[in-house]
Amino acid sequence: MEELDRAIRRRHGLQLALFLLTCGTTFMAGAAGWQPLVPGIDDGVAEAIRSHAPRGLLYMAAVMAVLAAHEAGHYVAARLHGIPATLPFFIPVPILLTGTLGAVIGMEGARANRRQLFDIAIAGPLAGLVVAIPAIAFGMLDGTANPKSPFAMPLVATWLMGFLRPDLPAGVRFAPNALFMAGWVGLLVTGLNMFPISQLDGGHVSRAVFGPASRWLARSVLLAAIAAIVVFGRYNWIALVVIVTLMGTDHPPIREDGVPLGPVRTLLGIASLLIPIVTFMPEPLLLD
């Protein structure tokens, strides 16, 4: 028991350290203006961070709220179903583009039946979108058009723009601001997570909805992704495809696979397959 307590304290210490580091990297990313580079001595980044600290703080708070909401959705659903889960591990990155790669929780998914797995998996993306969509919407209301902005617009953001900013022409890009970028990161992370492959959130949902047959959907999506990378030259996604492949394309077995999902969960699960279509950006950065 004493050894277990020490292990839990070490894990909590790591989680706190990663949280604080991610707060730091996202603050610097926002203050520096979301630049695709690592902080250097002679590139003026330090001065930009000092000059735009309020922008960095707002972006840090907003993007951490999006990520925390996503992981809280998973965590609360897991605890309600009695499935052991950890607090989130935030992922800081030193590159000043976003400052983070998101967050993850540890969960004993093998102890969940189909219904429990579905609830836990879908709760995270839905909770994250509840924060990310208003964030990018307020960012648009406060934003200005900039045809040279490198940040692509996901489909759902394009719809929002047509509703919120009818004064702007279709296909316009926005100059990045704190709330817009927090929502942008949230949509990109959600879109990636909802691909129905492996142990991504979408993989869990697909496994819960389609049962063992979900492996054929996962393999088809992986092959389609590889084909798209080759045909359209999206080589920036090779590393992610390799990681997912190493994780295992098929979802691992779960407990009590015969538990019925029910019509409401089934319909919601099928509808959730549209999430990556409307939130994911095949080319997030338009470096033209």
Side-chain angles (χ1 to χ4, degrees):
M1 181 63 71
E2 191 172 325
E3 181 61 31
L4 177 62
D5 289 340
R6 282 198 295 267
I8 292 174
R9 285 196 296 270
R10 285 194 298 269
R11 187 181 70 207
H12 287 170
L14 175 61
Q15 289 164 329
L16 177 60
L18 290 173
F19 172 80
L20 295 175
L21 282 172
T22 308
C23 285
T25 54
T26 53
F27 164 75
M28 288 191 295
W34 305 281
Q35 301 295 319
L37 47 81
V38 176
I41 297 175
D42 301 321
D43 54 18
V45 171
E47 178 58 33
I49 291 173
R50 285 194 294 269
S51 302
H52 299 285
R55 182 178 67 190
L57 288 171
L58 179 57
Y59 171 70
M60 177 195 76
V63 77
M64 293 297 283
V66 171
L67 300 179
H70 184 122
E71 300 309 323
H74 290 315
Y75 181 81
V76 171
R79 295 302 297 265
L80 288 174
H81 282 300
I83 304 299
T86 70
L87 293 172
F89 295 84
F90 289 87
I91 307 173
V93 292
I95 299 175
L96 296 178
L97 182 61
T98 63
T100 181
L101 289 178
V104 297
I105 67 168
M107 181 187 72
E108 296 184 23
R111 295 178 57 175
N113 60 37
R114 285 179 69 183
R115 189 175 299 173
Q116 293 169 337
L117 181 69
F118 176 85
D119 290 351
I120 296 167
I122 200 68
L126 294 182
L129 289 175
V130 165
V131 182
I133 290 177
I136 199 169
F138 280 110
M140 288 178 182
L141 288 171
D142 192 44
T144 57
N146 181 355
K148 295 184 178 180
S149 173
F151 298 101
M153 294 274 281
L155 190 56
V156 68
T158 302
W159 294 339
L160 280 171
M161 186 192 71
F163 177 73
L164 297 172
R165 297 295 303 269
D167 56 305
L168 298 176
V172 72
R173 303 182 201 174
F174 274 91
N177 60 57
L179 293 178
F180 177 88
M181 287 305 300
W184 187 88
V185 170
L187 294 178
L188 179 61
V189 169
T190 302
L192 284 170
N193 264 306
M194 282 305 294
F195 275 94
I197 303 176
S198 188
Q199 296 193 63
L200 300 177
D201 292 341
H204 293 315
V205 171
S206 177
R207 182 63 174 78
V209 172
F210 301 112
S214 64
R215 64 180 179 272
W216 300 112
L217 177 59
R219 295 172 188 180
S220 298
V221 170
L222 182 62
L223 290 175
I226 294 171
I229 288 172
V230 174
V231 172
F232 298 106
R234 302 287 192 256
Y235 301 113
N236 49 310
W237 295 113
I238 289 178
L240 181 63
V241 169
V242 170
I243 291 171
V244 170
T245 303
L246 292 175
M247 287 170 57
T249 307
D250 299 348
H251 194 282
I254 63 174
R255 181 176 65 87
E256 296 183 32
D257 203 27
V259 172
L261 202 58
V264 174
R265 286 183 173 88
T266 299
L267 289 174
L268 178 59
I270 293 173
S272 74
L273 295 176
L274 297 174
I275 291 177
I277 296 174
V278 301
T279 61
F280 177 69
M281 295 156 275
E283 192 174 8
L285 297 179
L286 303 172
L287 302 176
D288 50 22

